[in-house]
Amino acid sequence: MKNIFFVILALLLTSQSFQAQKPLKLNSNEIYERVQKLNFLGTALYIAAHPDDENTRLIAYLANTVKARTGYLSLTRGDGGQNLIGSEIRELLGVIRTQELLAARRIDGGQQIFTRANDFGYSKHPDETLKIWNKEKVLSDVVWAIRTFKPDVIINRFDHRTPGTTHGHHTASAMLGVTAFDLVGDKNQFKEQLKFTDTWQPKRLFFNTSSWFYRNQEDFEKATKGKLTSFDVGVYYPLKGLSNNELAAIASSQHLCQGFGRVTTRGSQNEYVEFLKGEKPKDKNDIFSGINTTWNRVAGGGEIGAILYEVEANFDFTNPSKHLPKLMEAYAMIQQLADAHWRRIKDRQIQEIIEACAGLYLEASADRSSGTPNATVNVNFEVVNRSSVSMELTSITTTMDATIIQKELDLETNKKRNFKETITLNTAEYSDPYWLREKASLGMYRVEDQNLIGKPETPRPVQVHFNLTIDQVPIAITKNVVRRYSERDKGEIYEPFEILPKVTTKLKSKVLIFSDDAAKKVMVEVRAGANNVAGLVHLKVPKNWDVAPKEVSFNIRQKNDKQTVAFFVTPPKNQSEGVLEVMATSVGKIYKKELIEIKYAHIPKQTVLSDSQAKIVRLNIKNAGNNIGYIKGAGDAIPESLRQIGYDVTFLNPLEINGTNLQQYDAIVLGIRAYNVVKELKFKQKYLLAYVKKGGNLIVQYNTNRGVDVAAPFALKLSRDRVTDEFAEVRILDDTHPVLNYPNKITPDDFKNWVQERGLYFPDSWSKEYTPIFSMNDKGESAKNGSLLIAKYGNGNYIYTGLSFFRELPAGVSGAYKLFANILSVGKALAN
C-alpha cells in the first residue's frame, strides 16, 4: 500500500507540472462526483495566515465527503518564508507558494483566495502583525472575501483568544475572521465594496481545534468537553481508490518549497471544531445542520433539483452522454435563476459536467507561448464531439475584441475539427502577477482594482468563447488560450499564454558591491519579445556616480534572442549607496522591466515582470583570505554576494568531500539549513571537523531544530529562539574579539538597515568552548546571546551563526557584508 501511495503521488505531482494548463478530461467517476457537488448548495470557508497553514484533511473532507463548495482564505502568499528548492525569496517565493496552493486545491477540491497582506516574516504577537499589515485594509479584504464567496460556515485554523502563544500572523488571521463575521452583514461597513457585491451573513463560525493547541491530550479533552463538533475524516473514497487522508497528504505535499512532501496513515481519524458564533448546529456532528443545502434554497431551484437529483440517482457510468438532454434542460433553467450568486456558480459547474459527458474536447493553442500588446498571434483550434448527441459550433469570440468568427460546423461524432485563426492582442496590459505591479509596503501589497483583490492569480489575458448548441440549447464554453507542444524527453507540454513587453532587460545581480573606487564593468542583457527589435539602453545612477558610455544601441532580429551590452560604472570615493536603473527605448517607448521565469516541475511556468534595477553600494571593506568552499543548503544567494566583494567561491559536492581536498580553502561555509536538507553531511562531518582542527574556518549558517544534529565539535543545542525585529538593539558582548576588529571594525551601526529580521533558530545553550559575540532580543523578551558563536578547535575555528545573512547580503546591507567578511577571516589576523 505504501508503494501504491508513492506511485499515485508521483503521478499526481507529474500531472500538476507540465499538464497544469491541460483541459480537464474527466472520467465517469469524476463526472459523477461533480454531479454530487452540483446538487449540494452549501459553502464553507477555511481561514488561516499562510500557504501550508491549511488543514488539507478538513478541506478535502468538506469538498469530497460533504460535497460542499470549500474555500481556503490564506491571508498571505507566504512571501516571508524560506525556500527549500531554490534561491527565490520574498515576492518570487510568494509566486511559487501561490502556485503550490493552487496545485493543492486542484487535488483536495477546494478553491483558493487571498488578501493583500504581505508576509513580512515571523511575528511574535498579533499586535505587531496588525500594525505592520494595516489592520483596516486586511480586515476589509477578509470582509470582501466573505461577501463574495458567501460561505454558510467559516472555520478558523487558529485560536483568536491566545495572542502571543504562536506566530502573530496565525492569531491575527483568527482575530480578523471573528471580527469580519460580525461586519459582513452590515451595509455601513466597507460600503465601497457594495458597488461590486452584496452584504452577507454566514450562519456560524468555528475554530478547528485539536490537542496540538494544548499541552497534552488530557488538557485538550478537559478544556473542550461538550463543546466540540467532530467528524471522522479518514473516510475511504472507492471512486478515487484513496482515503481522505491520502488525498489530503498528496495535496499538502504540493508545498515542496517548504519541505512538506509527506506520506500519511490510513484509517479512522477525527477532526474537531469548536462553535464560536452564530446559530448553533442542531446536529453537533454536522456543521451544515439546519442550513438548507438543497436546490430548494434558491427561488426556482426546485424544478432544477428534480432533474439533477434524478441524474445523480440514475447515473450511467458506462455512458454518461445519455444524461446530456436532461443536463441541457437543467442548464437552460439555471440561466433563468434570479439569484446571481448561485446562477454563476452552478452555471460554471454544470458546464464542466456537460463538456465531460459529451467527451467534448475544446482547445485554442497559440503558435508561441507569448505575444506583445497589439501584436497578432496565430491560434490553432481543435474541436471534437465524442458523443452521439447533436451538436454544432456556431461561432467563436475572444476576450481581445468583439469580433465574431462564424463557423456553423456540425460536430459529428468523433470527427475532429481543426482550423486556424489570427487574433489581435488588443490590450496594453501584461499578464504578470497583478499584486506585484505596484511597489508594496512592508506589510501590504497595493491593488486598487477591487475585483482583483483576493484572486489567486491574474486572470488569463486571452480567452476564447466556443459558442455551441447542444441538443438545440445554446451554450458558450470559455477556454484559456494556451501553448501546446512536445519535447522528446517530456512528451506533450501545456504552458500558459502570456502577454509580455517587446523589450526586457536584465542585470546579472540585484546588488552591485564596489569595494573600492575603481570602475566596474556592468553587463546588461537585452531580450526581445518580438522579431526585429532595435533601440537604445542607458543606465540611471545616483548623484556622484558615473556611467560610461551614456547609451548603447541594440538590434535583435529573432524573438526571445538576447544581446548583451556593457557599461562601466564608477562609484564615488566615499561610502555611498543607491539604485541603478536600466532603461531601454524602442520606437519611442520606454521599457524598464526585467522578465523573470520561474520553472519547477510541480507548478506551471511563471513569468514575473520586475523593475530592472540593482542596489549599488560603495563599501569600504577589506578581506583576508580569498578561497572559499561553499556547501549549498536550502538555496540562498550568498555565494554570488561573496564574489561581489572579491572572494573566489567554489561549490563543494558533499559526496566528494574527503580527508585531503578541503585544505585548499581559507574557509568553508555551509548554506542555510544544510544539515536539514543535505543528507550526506552526517557522513562527512568527520572530514569537516578535521579540516577545522588543522587550521581551517568552518562557518555553519542556521538550521531548524527539528530532528537535526549539526555535529559540532562541542555541545551545542539549537532552539527556536529568534529576533524578528530588524531594528532590535544589538549589544556587543566583547568589543575586543578579533571577529569585530579584523579586517573591518564592527560597531552597532553595522546593524542599521537590516531587513525582515536579525536572525532565527539561535542556539540556546552551548559548552564553555564557545564565545558568544552579540546579545539581542525582541521587545519584552529575555536576551538572546546565541546569534553568533565562535569556538577554537585545534588550530582552526568552528563558527555557528543564526544571523540572517541569507537575507541581508542579497539586500545589499553594508554592515552584513563587513561582518561576514570578518567571520570568514577569523584567525587570519595573527597570520598577518
Side-chain angles (χ1 to χ4, degrees):
M1 178 60 77
K2 188 174 180 180
N3 289 336
I4 292 173
F5 175 82
F6 276 116
V7 169
I8 293 169
L9 176 58
L11 288 172
L12 282 169
L13 288 175
T14 301
S15 69
Q16 294 304 317
S17 57
F18 303 115
Q19 310 302 335
Q21 302 296 318
K22 188 175 184 178
L24 283 173
K25 299 176 182 177
L26 303 177
N27 59 41
S28 292
N29 290 351
E30 292 168 323
I31 297 171
Y32 176 68
E33 290 177 317
R34 278 164 171 75
V35 171
Q36 291 178 305
K37 291 185 179 183
L38 180 66
N39 284 335
F40 189 92
L41 278 72
T43 303
L45 180 63
Y46 198 86
I47 299 178
H50 310 108
D52 72 36
D53 282 345
E54 79 273 30
N55 184 342
T56 52
R57 292 186 303 273
L58 187 50
I59 291 174
Y61 176 84
L62 292 171
N64 295 280
T65 301
V66 181
K67 308 300 180 185
R69 177 171 165 263
T70 307
Y72 173 43
L73 173 59
S74 177
L75 268 59
T76 77
R77 296 176 185 267
D79 327 75
Q82 285 84 49
N83 183 359
L84 285 179
I85 62 174
S87 60
E88 296 90 352
I89 58 175
R90 292 301 305 145
E91 291 82 3
L92 297 182
L93 177 59
V95 172
I96 294 172
R97 298 189 73 182
T98 293
Q99 291 301 316
E100 290 181 337
L101 273 173
L102 289 172
R105 299 294 81 77
R106 285 192 288 268
I107 291 169
D108 62 29
Q111 298 179 45
Q112 189 59 51
I113 312 169
F114 291 98
T115 74
R116 291 171 292 178
N118 189 347
D119 180 0
F120 56 84
Y122 193 88
S123 175
K124 294 181 178 178
H125 199 281
D127 289 349
E128 177 197 38
T129 298
L130 294 172
K131 180 179 179 181
I132 295 175
W133 270 356
N134 186 325
K135 177 181 177 180
E136 192 71 6
K137 287 185 177 181
V138 182
L139 176 61
S140 76
D141 288 358
V142 177
V143 169
W144 169 254
I146 296 171
R147 284 175 172 174
T148 53
F149 197 66
K150 301 190 185 311
D152 299 300
V153 297
I154 295 175
I155 304 173
N156 278 343
R157 179 67 178 111
F158 300 102
D159 193 345
H160 66 288
R161 299 160 295 194
T162 56
T165 61
T166 182
H167 197 322
H169 297 184
H170 293 168
T171 310
S173 72
M175 294 168 66
L176 291 170
V178 172
T179 303
F181 184 88
D182 294 330
L183 300 181
V184 291
D186 186 345
K187 65 182 180 180
N188 293 314
Q189 298 291 333
F190 305 108
K191 293 186 287 187
E192 68 281 359
Q193 296 178 1
L194 301 181
K195 300 174 186 176
F196 309 98
T197 190
D198 302 314
T199 58
W200 178 255
Q201 185 55 58
K203 294 294 185 182
R204 51 192 67 125
L205 172 68
F206 297 93
F207 159 45
N208 181 197
T209 188
S210 73
S211 59
W212 185 85
F213 293 96
Y214 296 82
R215 289 183 300 177
N216 51 51
Q217 182 69 25
E218 184 180 347
D219 284 357
F220 167 60
E221 292 174 356
K222 182 179 179 181
T224 60
K225 186 176 182 180
K227 299 180 180 180
L228 303 182
T229 294
S230 66
F231 11 77
D232 183 355
V233 297
V235 62
Y236 177 69
Y237 303 124
L239 294 177
K240 298 179 185 295
L242 292 169
S243 70
N244 189 75
N245 286 340
E246 289 171 306
L247 190 70
I250 296 170
S252 182
S253 289
Q254 302 305 301
H255 298 296
L256 294 182
C257 72
Q258 301 301 294
F260 265 59
R262 61 186 59 187
V263 296
T264 187
T265 58
R266 285 139 292 278
S268 179
Q269 182 175 356
N270 284 334
E271 279 291 337
Y272 302 92
V273 294
E274 177 187 350
F275 173 78
L276 297 177
K277 282 192 172 188
E279 300 175 6
K280 283 190 175 182
K282 296 177 181 178
D283 178 353
K284 73 172 188 175
N285 294 318
D286 178 7
I287 61 173
F288 283 97
S289 176
I291 300 171
N292 186 354
T293 59
T294 72
W295 274 101
N296 286 322
R297 83 177 287 174
V298 181
E303 295 179 1
I304 299 171
I307 297 170
L308 294 177
Y309 292 137
E310 181 182 350
V311 171
E312 180 181 345
N314 300 289
F315 188 77
D316 190 332
F317 286 87
T318 62
N319 182 24
S321 67
K322 69 177 285 187
H323 301 295
L324 280 171
K326 289 294 185 181
L327 290 169
M328 294 310 301
E329 181 182 356
Y331 169 80
M333 296 169 69
I334 287 172
Q335 307 312 302
Q336 303 305 312
L337 288 175
D339 189 320
H341 172 70
W342 283 113
R343 182 177 69 243
R344 183 173 57 254
I345 293 167
K346 296 305 172 182
D347 172 67
R348 184 167 57 248
Q349 290 179 340
I350 199 169
Q351 277 196 26
E352 185 180 272
I353 293 168
I354 290 167
E355 185 180 349
C357 284
L360 183 59
Y361 187 83
L362 304 171
E363 181 181 279
S365 176
D367 62 356
R368 53 189 186 273
S369 61
S370 67
T372 59
N374 301 312
T376 59
V377 60
N378 296 319
V379 179
N380 301 304
F381 291 85
E382 181 177 334
V383 183
V384 188
N385 167 25
R386 290 173 284 192
S387 74
S388 58
V389 174
S390 173
M391 200 175 303
E392 180 185 22
L393 174 65
T394 58
S395 64
I396 60 173
T397 57
T398 77
T399 54
M400 289 287 98
D401 54 42
T403 302
I404 300 175
I405 304 172
Q406 295 294 338
K407 287 299 172 186
E408 309 296 342
L409 297 176
D410 287 328
L411 302 180
E412 302 171 38
T413 302
N414 213 30
K415 183 177 180 180
K416 183 171 66 173
R417 296 282 193 168
N418 287 104
F419 51 91
K420 294 183 179 181
E421 299 291 343
T422 300
I423 294 175
T424 301
L425 305 176
N426 291 325
T427 180
E429 293 287 331
Y430 300 128
S431 53
D432 55 323
Y434 70 87
W435 64 95
L436 299 181
R437 290 173 178 167
E438 301 289 339
K439 185 175 178 60
S441 68
L442 175 63
M444 294 294 295
Y445 285 112
R446 182 180 175 187
V447 181
E448 301 299 334
D449 185 342
Q450 184 67 52
N451 286 312
L452 282 177
I453 294 172
K455 291 186 182 299
E457 55 186 347
T458 305
R460 300 315 309 162
V462 190
Q463 296 180 318
V464 170
H465 308 299
F466 291 87
N467 303 308
L468 306 113
T469 57
I470 301 177
D471 202 34
Q472 307 305 312
V473 177
I475 183 173
I477 298 178
T478 302
K479 296 291 180 182
N480 295 327
V481 172
V482 297
R483 166 68 169 145
R484 178 168 69 97
Y485 64 101
S486 67
E487 291 185 2
R488 287 188 174 187
D489 59 341
K490 296 184 178 68
E492 188 174 62
I493 298 172
Y494 283 79
E495 287 185 348
F497 179 81
E498 309 281 9
I499 297 180
L500 301 171
K502 185 178 287 188
V503 180
T504 54
T505 59
K506 180 180 180 180
L507 290 159
K508 182 179 179 181
S509 299
K510 285 294 186 181
V511 175
L512 298 171
I513 304 295
F514 294 75
S515 56
D516 54 35
D517 60 0
K520 180 178 288 190
K521 194 175 189 179
V522 175
M523 310 299 291
V524 178
E525 180 184 272
V526 184
R527 178 187 179 275
N531 292 334
N532 299 314
V533 175
L536 298 170
V537 182
H538 74 275
L539 304 184
K540 182 180 179 182
V541 295
K543 184 180 180 181
N544 297 326
W545 291 69
D546 291 318
V547 59
K550 295 300 182 184
E551 58 187 24
V552 180
S553 63
F554 65 90
N555 192 329
I556 306 174
R557 295 184 61 185
Q558 295 292 323
K559 178 183 177 179
N560 293 329
D561 200 1
K562 301 168 184 176
Q563 180 179 336
T564 301
V565 298
F567 296 87
F568 286 90
V569 175
T570 304
K573 292 187 178 298
N574 298 318
Q575 190 157 314
S576 172
E577 61 182 58
V579 175
L580 178 151
E581 299 178 71
V582 183
M583 297 186 181
T585 57
S586 179
V587 196
K589 184 174 176 62
I590 299 175
Y591 297 91
K592 300 191 292 184
K593 294 293 184 180
E594 172 190 352
L595 175 63
I596 302 169
E597 293 184 338
I598 300 174
K599 293 183 179 181
Y600 290 101
H602 66 301
I603 61 173
K605 183 182 79 171
Q606 299 296 300
T607 55
V608 179
L609 295 174
S610 177
D611 291 336
S612 186
Q613 60 184 37
K615 183 175 182 179
I616 50 177
V617 180
R618 166 67 173 96
L619 177 62
N620 292 317
I621 188 171
K622 298 175 182 178
N623 301 339
N626 177 63
N627 199 11
I628 308 299
Y630 202 96
I631 299 174
K632 292 182 181 179
D636 62 55
I638 285 181
E640 177 56 32
S641 299
L642 296 180
R643 293 184 180 114
Q644 289 258 12
I645 55 174
Y647 287 102
D648 183 5
V649 181
T650 302
F651 288 116
L652 303 181
N653 181 348
L655 289 174
E656 297 174 357
I657 291 175
N658 57 47
T660 60
N661 62 358
L662 299 181
Q663 299 308 313
Q664 60 185 299
Y665 298 106
D666 297 307
I668 293 174
V669 182
L670 273 63
I672 58 173
R673 300 176 76 168
Y675 286 100
N676 295 122
V677 299
V678 183
K679 296 177 181 178
E680 295 81 9
L681 278 180
K682 63 182 178 182
F683 305 114
K684 302 295 182 177
Q685 187 68 15
K686 59 184 178 181
Y687 300 122
L688 292 171
L689 292 181
Y691 160 80
V692 178
K693 202 167 188 179
K694 292 178 182 178
N697 277 358
L698 179 64
I699 296 94
V700 180
Q701 297 181 82
Y702 96 92
N703 291 265
T704 63
N705 66 335
R706 294 187 294 272
V708 64
D709 179 10
V710 297
F714 310 109
L716 182 73
K717 182 183 176 184
L718 302 185
S719 74
R720 295 184 63 85
D721 285 352
R722 61 204 303 163
V723 176
T724 62
D725 182 0
E726 64 268 39
F727 305 108
E729 179 190 5
V730 176
R731 297 174 294 276
I732 293 174
L733 297 176
D734 178 7
D735 60 9
T736 66
H737 195 283
V739 77
L740 301 176
N741 292 280
Y742 183 83
N744 305 286
K745 179 63 177 177
I746 303 299
T747 72
D749 284 347
D750 289 304
F751 287 89
K752 291 180 178 178
N753 302 317
W754 280 49
V755 298
Q756 186 159 326
E757 62 199 353
R758 290 299 190 195
L760 63 172
Y761 291 101
F762 297 161
D764 62 354
S765 66
W766 50 86
S767 68
K768 61 182 177 59
E769 286 82 3
Y770 293 97
T771 300
I773 305 301
F774 302 115
S775 179
M776 60 188 74
N777 57 273
D778 284 322
K779 184 178 179 181
E781 294 192 353
S782 61
K784 306 295 186 291
N785 295 350
S787 63
L788 178 60
L789 301 174
I790 301 176
K792 190 73 177 175
Y793 180 61
N795 295 320
N797 296 278
Y798 179 92
I799 302 162
Y800 190 94
T801 180
L803 293 169
S804 58
F805 289 109
F806 73 104
R807 296 195 189 280
E808 311 313 320
L809 299 193
V813 178
S814 301
Y817 273 91
K818 290 169 61 181
L819 178 56
F820 206 92
N822 281 21
I823 291 172
L824 293 171
S825 306
V826 170
K828 301 292 191 297
L830 295 176
N832 289 272

